[in-house]
Amino acid sequence: MSLIDPDRADGADRTLGLLLAERESLRRFVTGMMGRDPHGAEDVVQETLLRAWQSAGRLDWHDRPIRMWLFRVARNLVVDSRRRDRSIPVGISAADFGPALTPTVPDHAEQVGDRRVLVSALRTLAPAHREAVARVHLLGQSGDDVARQLGLPPGTVKSRTHHGIRALRTTLESHGCPPAGADRLRRETR
């Protein structure tokens, strides 16, 4: 039984019929080229048929067999797919930035140790400095918000935060914290 009634077949129905008639042979052809990738083969077949459908107005369906055009488009799609899979991006890689920027899995034991050192360093600060540093750097509040909440001038909060971070940096360096950590604290205060 045919999908197309020859008495009512207009251009779109005829095009669809020709494409559907070639679908199975096209799938066998593409599967033979791609090997054991049935999903990839089906994607190529669908893309080929879609391109034929979109180009239906420009193709010569009467004098030239459409099968050759379909097979050429499918072959080109398979070649493009292989090239895309085989290509190696050229340019900057993570290794170019050195070991410091390569992603690492966080060591929870190290994080616990770092927290203990930070908490003990915070306890050495004067209460006013500790509160300013904690609100600005640990809670992420702005200096102006902290000043409003504590009823202080913004300059006082900046001063307490600055001196508190300086004292923290000194304490952390005495605990063996590398200067890079201190530099990070210095950058956070700006």
Side-chain angles (χ1 to χ4, degrees):
M1 181 173 161
S2 172
L3 294 173
I4 299 174
D5 181 8
D7 297 331
R8 296 182 345 177
D10 62 352
D13 287 340
R14 185 173 187 284
T15 301
L16 181 61
L18 290 171
L19 291 177
L20 289 176
E22 296 295 335
R23 185 176 188 280
E24 193 59 37
S25 60
L26 185 62
R27 188 159 46 82
R28 280 193 307 270
F29 173 72
V30 171
T31 302
M33 288 181 68
M34 294 190 74
R36 296 184 178 171
D37 185 11
H39 300 293
E42 189 61 35
D43 288 344
V44 169
V45 169
Q46 287 179 10
E47 180 64 24
T48 303
L49 295 176
L50 177 66
R51 288 183 183 193
W53 182 259
Q54 291 171 338
S55 303
R58 295 185 306 260
L59 294 175
D60 182 12
W61 294 81
H62 301 290
D63 297 333
R64 218 170 133 205
I66 194 63
R67 180 179 218 174
M68 301 309 290
W69 186 89
L70 290 172
F71 280 42
R72 173 55 67 181
V73 170
R75 181 193 168 285
N76 291 345
L77 288 171
V78 170
V79 169
D80 289 347
S81 167
R82 285 185 182 158
R83 284 182 184 154
R84 194 174 34 251
D85 292 343
R86 192 177 56 197
S87 69
I88 299 171
V90 178
I92 300 173
S93 68
D96 294 335
F97 293 105
L101 294 178
T102 55
T104 58
V105 177
D107 182 9
H108 296 292
E110 188 176 320
Q111 289 177 343
V112 169
D114 289 347
R115 280 193 196 117
R116 289 187 63 155
V117 169
L118 181 61
V119 167
S120 84
L122 282 169
R123 285 185 179 140
T124 64
L125 296 178
H129 292 143
R130 183 179 332 129
E131 185 171 20
V133 169
R135 286 179 182 253
V136 171
H137 292 287
L138 298 179
L139 299 177
Q141 297 175 350
S142 72
D144 291 335
D145 289 342
V146 173
R148 256 193 312 278
Q149 291 169 1
L150 298 178
L152 298 170
T156 303
V157 172
K158 284 183 183 181
S159 174
R160 288 180 181 178
T161 304
H162 171 75
H163 290 293
I165 292 293
R166 242 174 79 189
L168 266 180
R169 190 178 313 124
T170 304
T171 304
L172 290 174
E173 286 174 356
S174 72
H175 277 55
C177 183
D183 290 342
R184 187 174 62 238
L185 285 174
R186 187 179 304 124
R187 276 184 263 128
E188 289 177 359
T189 60
R190 291 181 182 166

Short mmCIF file of all heavy atoms in Angstrom, two decimals, residues 26-35 37 40-45 47-48 51 70-86:
data_model
loop_
_atom_site.label_atom_id
_atom_site.label_comp_id
_atom_site.label_asym_id
_atom_site.label_seq_id
_atom_site.Cartn_x
_atom_site.Cartn_y
_atom_site.Cartn_z
N LEU A 26 18.99 4.66 2.42
CA LEU A 26 19.88 5.68 2.96
C LEU A 26 20.40 5.28 4.34
O LEU A 26 21.58 5.43 4.65
CB LEU A 26 19.13 7.02 3.02
CG LEU A 26 19.93 8.24 3.44
CD1 LEU A 26 21.06 8.51 2.45
CD2 LEU A 26 19.02 9.45 3.52
N ARG A 27 19.53 4.72 5.17
CA ARG A 27 19.94 4.27 6.51
C ARG A 27 20.96 3.15 6.42
O ARG A 27 21.95 3.14 7.15
CB ARG A 27 18.73 3.83 7.34
CG ARG A 27 19.13 3.55 8.78
CD ARG A 27 17.98 3.59 9.77
NE ARG A 27 16.78 2.91 9.40
CZ ARG A 27 16.60 1.59 9.54
NH1 ARG A 27 17.54 0.84 10.02
NH2 ARG A 27 15.45 1.05 9.20
N ARG A 28 20.77 2.20 5.50
CA ARG A 28 21.75 1.12 5.33
C ARG A 28 23.10 1.67 4.88
O ARG A 28 24.15 1.26 5.37
CB ARG A 28 21.23 0.10 4.31
CG ARG A 28 20.22 -0.87 4.88
CD ARG A 28 19.97 -2.04 3.94
NE ARG A 28 19.62 -1.64 2.58
CZ ARG A 28 18.37 -1.43 2.15
NH1 ARG A 28 17.36 -1.59 2.98
NH2 ARG A 28 18.15 -1.08 0.90
N PHE A 29 23.07 2.63 3.96
CA PHE A 29 24.29 3.25 3.46
C PHE A 29 25.05 3.95 4.60
O PHE A 29 26.25 3.76 4.78
CB PHE A 29 23.95 4.25 2.35
CG PHE A 29 25.09 5.08 1.88
CD1 PHE A 29 26.12 4.53 1.12
CD2 PHE A 29 25.15 6.44 2.19
CE1 PHE A 29 27.18 5.31 0.68
CE2 PHE A 29 26.21 7.22 1.76
CZ PHE A 29 27.23 6.66 1.00
N VAL A 30 24.35 4.74 5.38
CA VAL A 30 24.97 5.50 6.48
C VAL A 30 25.46 4.55 7.57
O VAL A 30 26.56 4.72 8.11
CB VAL A 30 23.99 6.55 7.03
CG1 VAL A 30 24.53 7.18 8.30
CG2 VAL A 30 23.70 7.60 5.98
N THR A 31 24.68 3.53 7.90
CA THR A 31 25.09 2.55 8.91
C THR A 31 26.36 1.84 8.47
O THR A 31 27.26 1.60 9.29
CB THR A 31 23.96 1.54 9.18
OG1 THR A 31 22.81 2.25 9.60
CG2 THR A 31 24.36 0.55 10.26
N GLY A 32 26.47 1.54 7.19
CA GLY A 32 27.69 0.92 6.68
C GLY A 32 28.90 1.82 6.82
O GLY A 32 30.01 1.35 7.07
N MET A 33 28.71 3.12 6.71
CA MET A 33 29.82 4.06 6.84
C MET A 33 30.18 4.32 8.31
O MET A 33 31.34 4.51 8.63
CB MET A 33 29.47 5.40 6.18
CG MET A 33 29.46 5.34 4.67
SD MET A 33 29.07 6.94 3.96
CE MET A 33 30.52 7.86 4.41
N MET A 34 29.19 4.35 9.17
CA MET A 34 29.42 4.74 10.56
C MET A 34 29.72 3.56 11.47
O MET A 34 30.19 3.77 12.59
CB MET A 34 28.22 5.52 11.10
CG MET A 34 28.05 6.85 10.40
SD MET A 34 26.86 7.90 11.20
CE MET A 34 27.76 8.44 12.63
N GLY A 35 29.43 2.37 11.07
CA GLY A 35 29.71 1.23 11.93
C GLY A 35 28.62 1.02 12.95
O GLY A 35 27.44 1.09 12.65
N ASP A 37 27.14 2.60 15.34
CA ASP A 37 26.56 3.77 16.00
C ASP A 37 25.17 4.01 15.42
O ASP A 37 24.98 4.88 14.57
CB ASP A 37 27.45 5.00 15.80
CG ASP A 37 26.96 6.22 16.55
OD1 ASP A 37 26.04 6.07 17.39
OD2 ASP A 37 27.48 7.32 16.30
N GLY A 40 23.82 7.64 15.90
CA GLY A 40 24.49 8.59 15.02
C GLY A 40 24.03 8.43 13.58
O GLY A 40 23.83 9.42 12.86
N ALA A 41 23.86 7.18 13.15
CA ALA A 41 23.39 6.92 11.79
C ALA A 41 21.99 7.48 11.59
O ALA A 41 21.70 8.10 10.56
CB ALA A 41 23.42 5.43 11.49
N GLU A 42 21.14 7.29 12.56
CA GLU A 42 19.77 7.81 12.46
C GLU A 42 19.77 9.34 12.42
O GLU A 42 18.99 9.95 11.69
CB GLU A 42 18.91 7.30 13.62
CG GLU A 42 17.45 7.62 13.49
CD GLU A 42 16.80 7.00 12.25
OE1 GLU A 42 17.19 5.89 11.84
OE2 GLU A 42 15.90 7.64 11.69
N ASP A 43 20.67 9.96 13.20
CA ASP A 43 20.77 11.42 13.17
C ASP A 43 21.18 11.91 11.79
O ASP A 43 20.65 12.91 11.28
CB ASP A 43 21.78 11.91 14.21
CG ASP A 43 21.29 11.79 15.63
OD1 ASP A 43 20.07 11.60 15.83
OD2 ASP A 43 22.13 11.86 16.56
N VAL A 44 22.14 11.22 11.16
CA VAL A 44 22.59 11.61 9.81
C VAL A 44 21.46 11.44 8.81
O VAL A 44 21.24 12.31 7.95
CB VAL A 44 23.85 10.80 9.40
CG1 VAL A 44 24.17 11.00 7.93
CG2 VAL A 44 25.04 11.20 10.26
N VAL A 45 20.72 10.35 8.89
CA VAL A 45 19.61 10.11 7.96
C VAL A 45 18.56 11.21 8.13
O VAL A 45 18.07 11.78 7.14
CB VAL A 45 19.00 8.72 8.18
CG1 VAL A 45 17.68 8.56 7.42
CG2 VAL A 45 19.98 7.63 7.77
N GLU A 47 18.95 14.24 9.33
CA GLU A 47 19.48 15.52 8.85
C GLU A 47 19.49 15.56 7.33
O GLU A 47 19.17 16.59 6.72
CB GLU A 47 20.90 15.74 9.40
CG GLU A 47 21.55 17.04 8.96
CD GLU A 47 20.84 18.29 9.47
OE1 GLU A 47 20.14 18.22 10.50
OE2 GLU A 47 21.00 19.34 8.83
N THR A 48 19.84 14.45 6.69
CA THR A 48 19.84 14.39 5.23
C THR A 48 18.44 14.60 4.67
O THR A 48 18.24 15.39 3.74
CB THR A 48 20.39 13.03 4.76
OG1 THR A 48 21.70 12.85 5.30
CG2 THR A 48 20.46 12.95 3.25
N ARG A 51 17.35 18.22 5.11
CA ARG A 51 17.96 19.11 4.12
C ARG A 51 17.30 18.94 2.76
O ARG A 51 17.13 19.91 2.02
CB ARG A 51 19.46 18.86 4.03
CG ARG A 51 20.20 19.38 5.25
CD ARG A 51 21.67 19.20 5.12
NE ARG A 51 22.35 19.63 6.34
CZ ARG A 51 23.64 19.82 6.44
NH1 ARG A 51 24.42 19.60 5.40
NH2 ARG A 51 24.17 20.20 7.58
N LEU A 70 20.94 12.54 -2.15
CA LEU A 70 20.79 12.14 -0.75
C LEU A 70 22.03 11.43 -0.24
O LEU A 70 22.52 11.71 0.86
CB LEU A 70 19.57 11.23 -0.59
CG LEU A 70 18.20 11.87 -0.75
CD1 LEU A 70 17.11 10.79 -0.76
CD2 LEU A 70 17.94 12.87 0.35
N PHE A 71 22.57 10.51 -1.04
CA PHE A 71 23.75 9.75 -0.61
C PHE A 71 24.97 10.68 -0.48
O PHE A 71 25.78 10.50 0.42
CB PHE A 71 24.03 8.61 -1.58
CG PHE A 71 23.17 7.41 -1.35
CD1 PHE A 71 21.82 7.52 -1.07
CD2 PHE A 71 23.70 6.14 -1.41
CE1 PHE A 71 21.02 6.41 -0.85
CE2 PHE A 71 22.91 5.02 -1.19
CZ PHE A 71 21.57 5.16 -0.91
N ARG A 72 25.10 11.65 -1.36
CA ARG A 72 26.22 12.58 -1.28
C ARG A 72 26.11 13.45 -0.03
O ARG A 72 27.08 13.65 0.69
CB ARG A 72 26.26 13.45 -2.54
CG ARG A 72 27.27 14.58 -2.52
CD ARG A 72 28.68 14.13 -2.23
NE ARG A 72 29.18 13.31 -3.32
CZ ARG A 72 30.37 12.76 -3.34
NH1 ARG A 72 31.21 12.96 -2.35
NH2 ARG A 72 30.75 12.00 -4.33
N VAL A 73 24.92 13.94 0.26
CA VAL A 73 24.72 14.76 1.47
C VAL A 73 24.99 13.93 2.71
O VAL A 73 25.67 14.37 3.65
CB VAL A 73 23.29 15.37 1.50
CG1 VAL A 73 22.99 16.00 2.85
CG2 VAL A 73 23.14 16.39 0.38
N ALA A 74 24.50 12.70 2.74
CA ALA A 74 24.71 11.82 3.90
C ALA A 74 26.20 11.54 4.08
O ALA A 74 26.71 11.57 5.20
CB ALA A 74 23.94 10.52 3.72
N ARG A 75 26.90 11.26 2.98
CA ARG A 75 28.34 11.00 3.06
C ARG A 75 29.08 12.22 3.63
O ARG A 75 29.93 12.10 4.50
CB ARG A 75 28.90 10.66 1.68
CG ARG A 75 30.37 10.34 1.71
CD ARG A 75 30.94 10.32 0.29
NE ARG A 75 32.39 10.29 0.32
CZ ARG A 75 33.17 11.32 0.60
NH1 ARG A 75 32.65 12.48 0.89
NH2 ARG A 75 34.48 11.20 0.61
N ASN A 76 28.72 13.40 3.15
CA ASN A 76 29.36 14.62 3.65
C ASN A 76 29.08 14.83 5.14
O ASN A 76 29.96 15.27 5.88
CB ASN A 76 28.88 15.84 2.84
CG ASN A 76 29.41 15.82 1.43
OD1 ASN A 76 30.35 15.10 1.09
ND2 ASN A 76 28.79 16.63 0.56
N LEU A 77 27.88 14.52 5.56
CA LEU A 77 27.55 14.66 6.99
C LEU A 77 28.35 13.68 7.84
O LEU A 77 28.81 14.02 8.94
CB LEU A 77 26.04 14.45 7.21
CG LEU A 77 25.14 15.59 6.73
CD1 LEU A 77 23.68 15.17 6.81
CD2 LEU A 77 25.39 16.84 7.54
N VAL A 78 28.54 12.45 7.35
CA VAL A 78 29.34 11.47 8.09
C VAL A 78 30.78 11.93 8.17
O VAL A 78 31.42 11.86 9.24
CB VAL A 78 29.24 10.07 7.44
CG1 VAL A 78 30.25 9.11 8.03
CG2 VAL A 78 27.83 9.51 7.60
N VAL A 79 31.34 12.42 7.08
CA VAL A 79 32.72 12.91 7.07
C VAL A 79 32.87 14.09 8.03
O VAL A 79 33.82 14.15 8.81
CB VAL A 79 33.16 13.29 5.64
CG1 VAL A 79 34.47 14.03 5.64
CG2 VAL A 79 33.27 12.03 4.78
N ASP A 80 31.92 15.01 7.99
CA ASP A 80 31.97 16.15 8.91
C ASP A 80 31.90 15.69 10.37
O ASP A 80 32.60 16.23 11.23
CB ASP A 80 30.82 17.12 8.64
CG ASP A 80 30.99 17.88 7.34
OD1 ASP A 80 32.11 17.86 6.78
OD2 ASP A 80 30.00 18.49 6.88
N SER A 81 31.09 14.70 10.63
CA SER A 81 30.96 14.17 11.99
C SER A 81 32.28 13.57 12.45
O SER A 81 32.71 13.78 13.59
CB SER A 81 29.86 13.12 12.03
OG SER A 81 29.89 12.38 13.20
N ARG A 82 32.93 12.81 11.58
CA ARG A 82 34.22 12.21 11.95
C ARG A 82 35.28 13.27 12.18
O ARG A 82 36.08 13.17 13.11
CB ARG A 82 34.68 11.25 10.86
CG ARG A 82 33.92 9.96 10.87
CD ARG A 82 34.48 9.01 9.86
NE ARG A 82 33.70 7.78 9.85
CZ ARG A 82 33.68 6.94 8.84
NH1 ARG A 82 34.38 7.19 7.75
NH2 ARG A 82 32.96 5.86 8.90
N ARG A 83 35.29 14.28 11.35
CA ARG A 83 36.27 15.36 11.52
C ARG A 83 36.03 16.09 12.85
O ARG A 83 36.98 16.43 13.55
CB ARG A 83 36.17 16.36 10.37
CG ARG A 83 36.78 15.86 9.11
CD ARG A 83 36.68 16.91 8.02
NE ARG A 83 37.19 16.39 6.78
CZ ARG A 83 36.82 16.82 5.59
NH1 ARG A 83 35.94 17.80 5.49
NH2 ARG A 83 37.32 16.29 4.51
N ARG A 84 34.78 16.33 13.15
CA ARG A 84 34.46 17.03 14.39
C ARG A 84 34.87 16.20 15.60
O ARG A 84 35.41 16.73 16.57
CB ARG A 84 32.95 17.32 14.41
CG ARG A 84 32.52 18.29 15.43
CD ARG A 84 31.03 18.66 15.32
NE ARG A 84 30.16 17.60 14.88
CZ ARG A 84 29.56 17.55 13.69
NH1 ARG A 84 29.74 18.51 12.81
NH2 ARG A 84 28.77 16.55 13.35
N ASP A 85 34.64 14.90 15.55
CA ASP A 85 35.01 14.04 16.67
C ASP A 85 36.52 13.88 16.81
O ASP A 85 37.03 13.64 17.89
CB ASP A 85 34.37 12.65 16.52
CG ASP A 85 32.87 12.69 16.67
OD1 ASP A 85 32.35 13.70 17.20
OD2 ASP A 85 32.21 11.73 16.24
N ARG A 86 37.22 13.97 15.69
CA ARG A 86 38.66 13.74 15.69
C ARG A 86 39.45 15.01 15.98
O ARG A 86 40.62 14.94 16.33
CB ARG A 86 39.04 13.18 14.31
CG ARG A 86 40.42 12.63 14.24
CD ARG A 86 40.69 12.04 12.90
NE ARG A 86 40.47 13.06 11.88
CZ ARG A 86 40.31 12.80 10.60
NH1 ARG A 86 40.32 11.57 10.18
NH2 ARG A 86 40.13 13.77 9.73
#
